[in-house]
Amino acid sequence: MEDQRSVFVSNISPSATEKTVSDFFSFCGRITRLTLKRDPSADGAQEAVVVFETDSAAKTALLLTNALIVDRPITVVPHASSGAEHADASAPPAPAAAAEHSGENLTQRAHSVPDHERTKTSVIASLIAAGYQVGSDAIDKAREVDEKHSISLQLKVGAEQVKAKANEIDAKLHITETAATIKTVAVEKAHQVDEQLGITSKATVAAAVAKGAAGAVVAQVSSNETVAKGLTALKSVASSVTSAVTGQYQEVKTETERAIEEKKAEKAASAPSTTTTTTSDTPAPSTTH
């Protein structure tokens, strides 16, 4: 649905243009359509609907509330929950008609990595490097999203892969059925030995025979080349998934820490010596970012 790929932006500076807005939001991902118009209920402010090519880009844009576009902190909410369409129907006509732009009329950035694979932290870091001032909590929110969703997704996929592989091997080689059968025989054998020898400690006998049965299972698996290969493959899959998840966690953590520190340093180095914060009254990021 288009609503999942759309955001509603309010409190946009009166001096902002379609290019200004698309320059800013193009860091999130490819924009397919942008509508900008005056907000009749606000003093000179504008509002916009930005439609992205992917819902992942829209989710990134939602982290940018309180970022400055020209000279005003914007508010970004999901388009579906903004009530913008309902308000348009009852509001008095705007001083100027809404300007809708799409495709080649919008700023588009070339991203080497698909939207759903780019971390939210890297997008925020790129905006800071381009001279934009984002909300004070944007970095923390981006980091939280990256760590929660990216890593949990990898863990879920990894667990499902291991489980599926285990079920596949078990279905082909009937390891579970074989182990259950040997366990049943072991218990019956324990009862026979106890009755024949008159041993009263049945628990001791059963435990000893069961231990021997377990050894028999291991011996059978080891002697069966097909079964042994199957179990080796399962161990390999589990080891690979564990390594992948560990690597993904470390990658997200390292990227988060490095990106934030580097961009903060760049921002501090480029700031005038008489000011302590970066301003972005007229940010003009290059379209090559």
Side-chain angles (χ1 to χ4, degrees), residues 106-270:
L106 302 173
T107 299
Q108 305 291 359
R109 297 181 189 279
H111 299 293
S112 59
V113 179
D115 294 344
H116 68 280
E117 293 182 9
R118 284 191 296 134
T119 65
K120 310 303 183 186
T121 304
S122 67
V123 175
I124 301 299
S126 295
L127 281 163
I128 294 173
Y132 288 103
Q133 182 174 330
V134 300
S136 59
D137 59 346
I139 294 173
D140 291 335
K141 287 182 178 179
R143 182 185 306 169
E144 181 181 351
V145 170
D146 288 338
E147 293 182 350
K148 180 185 295 183
H149 295 285
S150 297
I151 296 175
S152 62
L153 178 60
Q154 291 296 324
L155 288 170
K156 181 179 178 181
V157 171
E160 290 176 350
Q161 288 178 341
V162 170
K163 182 178 179 180
K165 190 63 177 180
N167 290 337
E168 178 186 346
I169 293 174
D170 186 61
K172 289 181 179 180
L173 306 178
H174 306 290
I175 295 174
T176 302
E177 294 176 11
T178 300
T181 300
I182 293 177
K183 178 181 178 181
T184 300
V185 172
V187 173
E188 291 177 354
K189 186 64 175 177
H191 285 298
Q192 292 175 7
V193 171
D194 182 65
E195 291 175 359
Q196 290 174 4
L197 302 179
I199 301 174
T200 57
S201 182
K202 295 181 180 180
T204 302
V205 175
V209 177
K211 183 176 180 180
V217 174
V218 175
Q220 180 177 343
V221 170
S222 299
S223 62
N224 187 315
E225 182 178 352
T226 303
V227 176
K229 287 182 178 179
L231 292 178
T232 299
L234 175 59
K235 290 174 65 178
S236 177
V237 170
S239 177
S240 298
V241 170
T242 299
S243 298
V245 171
T246 302
Q248 178 70 15
Y249 175 82
Q250 189 58 44
E251 180 182 345
V252 171
K253 181 179 179 182
T254 301
E255 179 183 2
T256 297
E257 295 174 349
R258 184 180 64 250
I260 299 306
E261 295 304 321
E262 288 182 354
K263 300 312 176 184
K264 283 184 176 180
E266 291 177 5
K267 185 176 179 181
S270 61

Side-chain angles (χ1 to χ4, degrees), residues 18-33:
E18 290 79 10
K19 183 179 185 307
T20 307
V21 177
S22 64
D23 278 351
F24 179 80
F25 283 104
S26 63
F27 282 91
C28 300
R30 182 176 179 81
I31 301 170
T32 59
R33 191 170 73 255

Side-chain angles (χ1 to χ4, degrees), residues 18 34-37 97-101:
E18 290 79 10
L34 185 152
T35 303
L36 179 67
K37 66 177 183 179
E100 182 172 307
H101 295 266

